[in-house]
Amino acid sequence: MPPASLLFPAFSLRTASLALSAVVLTGCMSLAPAPDTPPLPVPEAWPAHLGSGTDGAHAGELAWQAYFTDPLLQRLIETALENNRDLRLAALRVEEASAAFRIQRSDRFPAVGVGAQGGRARVPGDLNMSGRSQVGGEYRAEVGLSTWELDLWGRVRNLEDAALQSWLASDAARQAVHLALIAQVADGYLGLREIDERVAIARQTVATREESYRIFRRRVEVGSTSKLDLTQVQTLLNQAQALLTQLEQARATQLHALALLVGADPGPLPTKAPFDETTVLAELRAGLPSELLVSRPDIISAEHQLRAGDANIGAARAAFLPRIALTGSFGTASSDLNGLFDSGSRAWTFMPTLSLPIFDGGRRRANLELSEVRRDIAVAGYEKTIQTAFREVADALSAKYWLAEQLTIQRANLEAQSERARLAKLRYDNGSAAFLEVLDAQRDLLGARQQLVQARRALLSSQVALYAALGGGTLAAAGEAQGAASTPASTPSTR
């Protein structure tokens, strides 16, 4: 084993001082624009008529398990988070961005390698001054430093920052997919339960009208009623049967869509009691539009993309300045293999290089302009993301407010239609009205019952949309991640 002094660099004190000074200067300057977040392109508060008071829980701090308390729905969401392919692709993109960041970060450190070479050559006599052929050899063993750039102007550091921001943006995008998946599964589940309840109403109606058809057919046979009344009863029955088949088809489609979201067979879904729109989901407060900046993962992702654009501008600006790189090696060399590590065989090279392109056909200028345009695109995308988030929250608040009003009206309408159908049947039985009046009343009653179920589901869907629009569970997930990171024995959550 050779002495350590032969394997590691031992340059002169002056050379080491110069190198150390250069290292100290490395990264001390950055030509990236100062971070400047654009002002909010939306009003500072939600419209007052939407009822966005301060009561209720903060959606960002409320984990989805605490918001969606139905055990069956929780099981479906957990299965989706484990099997959904869109979420899996988003997680893989995060790993891809992480690897790209580590590759870029490695440029900040010198690449040190160990190498050895040896060779012998014969030179003919007519090619040397002695006139006689000569046989010679050269053997080297070195530790080398290859083209390490001194990042005086922050070019390498800005490229690293851009890669880091891209990584963070992809992770925030994964969180956005995570939240969207939860909302889609919840809404799909509510849609399935809505159809199940409407199917139950339709089946009950079909059974009732089949019995009515049997009674009227018997009446026609004994001559106590006209055939016109029988055809009207049959029309009611056919309408109910047609509605039932449509709902069965819609249920199959909804179940297939839910299976795609879940990423696996959801299994048998037990029949549930009609949902109560006042107790299924917790009340949420909208807060201020500015709170979306820290709770909406898509806005967080857009902001990281904005920072990546700033860093790329800094790297493009640094390309106009001189680039200094260090290349060197230290080791031992000898003309004979046996004397490779003998005293006096030490050899080293130190080659700093300075380069500054004088003419490149406008490449650097175009690259800077490209970076600036992409940064402007990121700004526009950031502002549009905020505007989209504001609209989604406003739409969800508006839907929640007005659907609650519609539900109240639908309840009153159902009561009125039920009373109308009862009175019409009573008038027909007493001979005071034609059966056509009963026909219209029962048709409208079935429509009112279906519309009430649809209104209930729409109100619940608006609450799901509001939870997603407010960045539901984002802050809670961030707190869990920080707690896991501070506990060495804990395992980071994948959800």
Side-chain angles (χ1 to χ4, degrees), residues 45 55 57 218 225 239 246 286 309 362 371 396 414 491:
D55 297 334
R218 181 58 180 165
T225 190
Q239 290 174 345
Q246 293 171 3
S371 300
L414 179 60
T491 301

Side-chain angles (χ1 to χ4, degrees), residues 12 30 115 250 264 281 346 460:
S12 66
S30 176
L281 301 177
R346 183 173 60 179
L460 288 172

Side-chain angles (χ1 to χ4, degrees), residues 48-91:
H49 70 279
L50 298 182
S52 55
T54 58
D55 297 334
H58 190 289
E61 299 174 351
L62 189 63
W64 67 265
Q65 296 92 338
Y67 188 65
F68 301 107
T69 56
D70 188 325
L72 178 56
L73 177 56
Q74 288 185 346
R75 177 176 67 82
L76 291 174
I77 292 176
E78 289 176 353
T79 305
L81 294 179
E82 293 175 358
N83 298 282
N84 184 266
R85 271 51 176 186
D86 290 334
L87 185 58
R88 188 176 300 175
L89 286 173

Side-chain angles (χ1 to χ4, degrees), residues 142-461:
E142 298 174 323
V143 175
L145 173 70
S146 60
T147 319
W148 177 40
E149 180 178 348
L150 298 180
D151 195 21
L152 301 179
W153 323 115
R155 188 188 73 88
V156 176
R157 178 173 289 276
N158 280 321
L159 290 176
E160 178 190 349
D161 289 343
L164 174 61
Q165 295 298 329
S166 297
W167 177 18
L168 296 175
S170 64
D171 186 62
R174 178 197 59 80
Q175 296 176 14
V177 175
H178 179 277
L179 177 58
L181 177 61
I182 292 174
Q184 290 171 0
V185 172
D187 191 61
Y189 171 74
L190 293 176
L192 187 63
R193 289 194 55 186
E194 172 210 337
I195 296 177
D196 283 342
E197 190 169 346
R198 293 178 63 192
V199 165
I201 293 173
R203 286 175 178 171
Q204 180 184 2
T205 303
V206 168
T208 301
R209 291 180 181 179
E210 284 178 344
E211 179 63 18
S212 297
Y213 179 75
R214 187 190 65 80
I215 294 173
F216 272 78
R217 186 176 58 184
R218 181 58 180 165
R219 287 181 180 180
V220 170
E221 292 175 354
V222 300
S224 61
T225 190
S226 67
K227 191 173 182 179
L228 176 61
D229 290 345
L230 178 63
T231 57
Q232 290 173 338
V233 172
Q234 184 178 6
T235 300
L236 280 178
L237 174 59
N238 292 339
Q239 290 174 345
Q241 290 173 335
L243 176 62
L244 179 59
T245 57
Q246 293 171 3
L247 291 175
E248 291 287 4
Q249 179 188 2
R251 186 186 188 281
T253 302
Q254 185 72 15
L255 188 61
H256 299 159
L258 185 60
L260 178 62
L261 285 174
V262 172
D265 184 4
L269 301 179
T271 303
K272 305 279 291 187
F275 41 68
D276 185 355
E277 68 282 351
T278 62
T279 59
V280 171
L281 301 177
E283 187 68 22
L284 300 175
R285 60 180 175 88
L288 298 174
S290 58
E291 296 179 10
L292 296 178
L293 300 181
V294 295
S295 60
R296 287 264 308 206
D298 56 343
I299 296 180
I300 296 174
S301 177
E303 184 175 1
H304 285 306
Q305 292 173 356
L306 187 61
R307 299 291 170 254
D310 290 335
N312 283 324
I313 290 178
R317 288 175 177 175
F320 287 87
L321 299 173
R323 183 179 302 179
I324 301 175
L326 300 180
T327 301
S329 64
F330 181 83
T332 178
S334 175
S335 61
D336 186 58
L337 182 60
N338 294 330
L340 189 59
F341 295 105
D342 290 346
S343 176
S345 63
R346 183 173 60 179
W348 59 268
T349 60
F350 180 65
M351 295 181 296
T353 60
L354 175 66
S355 62
L356 177 63
I358 298 176
F359 176 76
D360 58 3
R363 176 184 294 271
R364 288 174 296 164
R365 173 60 59 184
N367 186 51
L368 176 58
E369 293 176 356
L370 177 62
S371 300
E372 292 174 343
V373 170
R374 286 178 174 172
R375 198 264 184 185
D376 293 340
I377 293 174
V379 171
Y382 176 75
E383 293 176 339
K384 182 178 179 180
T385 302
I386 293 177
Q387 291 175 337
T388 302
F390 181 89
R391 179 191 172 180
E392 289 178 354
V393 175
D395 286 348
L397 289 172
S398 177
K400 181 175 178 294
Y401 178 81
W402 291 112
L403 285 171
E405 297 291 328
Q406 293 178 33
L407 185 59
T408 302
I409 296 173
Q410 289 294 341
R411 284 200 183 99
N413 181 53
L414 179 60
E415 292 179 1
Q417 292 294 347
S418 299
E419 182 65 13
R420 175 193 170 195
R422 187 186 69 83
L423 294 176
K425 183 67 167 55
L426 183 62
R427 282 168 53 84
Y428 172 77
D429 291 342
N430 293 328
S432 301
F435 191 76
L436 182 61
E437 183 176 336
V438 178
L439 178 70
D440 290 338
Q442 291 186 351
R443 184 188 301 114
D444 293 341
L445 176 60
L446 176 60
R449 295 180 68 184
Q450 295 283 330
Q451 291 170 5
L452 179 61
V453 176
Q454 291 175 309
R456 284 176 176 173
R457 182 271 171 114
L459 179 57
L460 288 172
S461 293

